[in-house]
Amino acid sequence: MANRIMIVKKSKCNPEGCGGYLCIRVSPSNRMGEEAIYKSDDGKVAVNEEVITDGDRIAANKCPFNALEMVNLPEELDKEPIHRYGKNGFALFNLPTPIFGKVVGIIGRNGIGKSTAIKVLADVLKPNLGRVEEDHIATHEELIDYFKGTEAQTFFEKQKKGEIKVAYKPQQVDMIPKQFNGTVQELLKKVDEKNSFNELVEKLELKNFLDHDIKDISGGELQRVAIAATVMKDANVYFFDEPTSYLDIKQRLKISKFIRELANEETAVMVIEHDMIILDYMTDLVHLMYGKEGAFGIVSMVKSTKAGINVYLSGYLKEENVRFRAGQIKFLKKPPLTKKAEFKLTEWNALEHKQGSFNLKVNKGMIYRHETIGILGENGIGKTTFVKILAGEIETKDKIGELKVAYKPQYLEPTDELVMIFLKRAFDKYKSTIIEPLNLKDFMTRKLNELSGGELQRVMIAKCLSEDSDLILMDEPSAYLDVEQRLEVAKIIKDIMFQTGRSALIVDHDLLFADYLSDQLIVFEGEPAISGSVEGPFNMEEGMNNFLEDIELTFRRDDENNRPRANKLNSQLDREQKSTGKLYYL
């Protein structure tokens, strides 16, 4: 295996735009008579990776469209990839391993091969062992030989004997309505191989929308339907790709408990999850994935969940001697903020707002400049309604201040506008503080409706932060983002508030993100779809205690990096903290 690869992003390659194959013209290897970079049959460029040298990095750097990327691989890689997407495409090295009786998690950045790995194990994608030019499909014998001496060898031996039956919940649950017509009940009865319909309807709380058309239910409802449909299959290995997106924290905890209970001596469970508190709560073991987004991904050896998450935050894999991030991520202990009257941004009096049969009660509150306030609460309890009242999208009798408000909604509707035009103000004013940290330069020439969910989310966050405003309101900015992007976004929001004297209100269901981001908390109480009540802002300890009491959860701090960790229900720490009323530790 060569110690470097060159990735060609065909969609970006534009030979006419660069004056005719600029990379071929400037490649040192080509100029010496080697055919390192050449014109392929489709008119785009291709690369002979056996021929390229480190000097050809100049060709990649000169490409005005960033279509070429030279990547150095870790020296320890002594095998060909398990799978490669075409010549000069993304390469995946190694695989995570399902373990019977355990829930195994996968943690890593977007675009690093997590879903590819699960698809290979679930037999949805046939691996090629890197032999792309001969359209090779690996046999079971080759896979058993490739993974000789590892847990994966046993897995593929069982698969070969027909002893593995797989059920797979894909990441994109929003595709289900495009693939199936009919009601929720019709879909579930069609896939129910274990006669578990009644049991799962009750456990996953599906009763209220069984008769609804699959096209008319919310993202959170769709997620629970997808999980139910997966578990109804008669399988002994279950794969869940991002099972908690669209769910509120209460539902996330219920789903975590449900998924944990699936694992037994006859059943293995594997999960990809970006909510680190939920990953910690749900899994026994984790694999880390590292590499370069869109270029290559490597799967680490399995670790205990606590050790694995801490190694991931540290950015350094000791056993493999690999540093995959420049610095470590630490959580700060936050004392309550001291408030000064002259820094008051706005306040509101108590008000009530009725929307159909839903009633929202807003208690008196106040926001200070430089503050970032997290908003916590269940789905359907009025969080988005409150944000829209503050944004002026919903009119009430009592107008809240005369503020300029920048608002990022929960549901993003992309147009065919170019990113560079959409983000002109951000590019002009906040290039080093927003555009570069959010890694947006690469898709400036693309249209909004050509972006992935995570790319669009980052663009919308940049737009909201760069607008001329006093108050920033964001609804679920962590959706579609990986762990590192979430923490990067949290840091950017806090920095911008500090530098500009503005304030931000952030609605989100990822408690680790909310903890990292927030100076204060607003907590929503009530009954979903019937009534909601806005309490706060509180300092972090008081706000978290109020919120955690409602969901019967307690938190401790990890001794290595201060990250918040949910205690297992009825564990010694859980009981101790509940008895003292300290559910959340600063």
Side-chain angles (χ1 to χ4, degrees), residues 23-39 46 51-52 56 59:
C23 55
I24 294 175
R25 299 199 312 270
V26 301
S27 155
S29 298
N30 279 55
R31 292 168 83 164
M32 288 173 71
E34 299 278 8
E35 199 177 45
I37 305 174
Y38 62 95
K39 178 182 169 183
V51 175
I52 57 167
D56 292 309

Side-chain angles (χ1 to χ4, degrees), residues 408-579:
K408 187 207 78 69
Q410 178 181 1
Y411 297 106
L412 311 176
E413 291 178 12
T415 63
D416 61 359
E417 191 174 0
L418 278 176
V419 172
M420 65 167 64
I421 294 167
F422 188 71
L423 289 183
K424 186 177 184 316
R425 182 183 167 87
F427 215 83
D428 291 346
K429 289 196 72 175
Y430 297 100
K431 193 174 173 186
S432 62
T433 48
I434 296 177
I435 297 292
E436 284 168 9
L438 283 176
N439 224 356
L440 301 179
K441 283 194 297 186
D442 262 11
F443 32 89
M444 281 294 158
T445 54
R446 285 159 67 191
K447 292 176 180 175
L448 293 171
N449 55 16
E450 293 170 351
L451 303 177
S452 71
E455 290 167 346
L456 184 63
Q457 185 73 272
R458 278 145 57 205
V459 165
M460 293 301 191
I461 289 167
K463 171 79 168 168
C464 184
L465 286 174
S466 63
E467 282 180 18
D468 179 21
S469 62
D470 305 302
L471 184 64
I472 302 280
L473 300 176
M474 291 196 200
D475 204 341
E476 298 201 34
S478 80
Y480 306 109
L481 301 184
D482 64 43
V483 170
E484 294 191 42
Q485 288 167 341
R486 289 176 187 197
L487 297 175
E488 187 61 53
V489 162
K491 186 177 180 304
I492 292 164
I493 292 171
K494 284 184 74 66
D495 288 349
I496 295 284
M497 295 313 104
F498 180 74
Q499 290 159 16
T500 61
R502 288 182 284 169
S503 300
L505 287 177
I506 312 289
V507 175
D508 214 275
H509 295 301
D510 181 334
L511 283 182
L512 187 113
F513 176 72
D515 177 86
Y516 195 73
L517 172 90
S518 308
D519 302 310
Q520 299 237 96
L521 287 176
I522 287 174
V523 178
F524 274 68
E525 295 171 0
E527 201 175 334
I530 294 166
S531 67
S533 161
V534 182
E535 311 285 341
F538 301 108
N539 68 44
M540 287 297 289
E541 187 165 21
E542 192 182 352
M544 271 292 193
N545 268 326
N546 288 355
F547 180 68
L548 295 174
E549 189 174 10
D550 183 45
I551 59 174
E552 298 177 355
L553 194 65
T554 59
F555 271 67
R556 67 191 184 281
R557 293 271 170 188
D558 188 86
D559 46 13
E560 276 187 44
N561 47 36
N562 276 325
R563 70 181 163 97
R565 301 185 66 198
N567 294 320
K568 298 282 190 281
L569 195 64
N570 294 325
S571 65
Q572 188 183 338
L573 263 176
D574 182 56
R575 293 197 307 273
E576 275 175 21
Q577 286 180 226
K578 279 174 179 166
S579 70

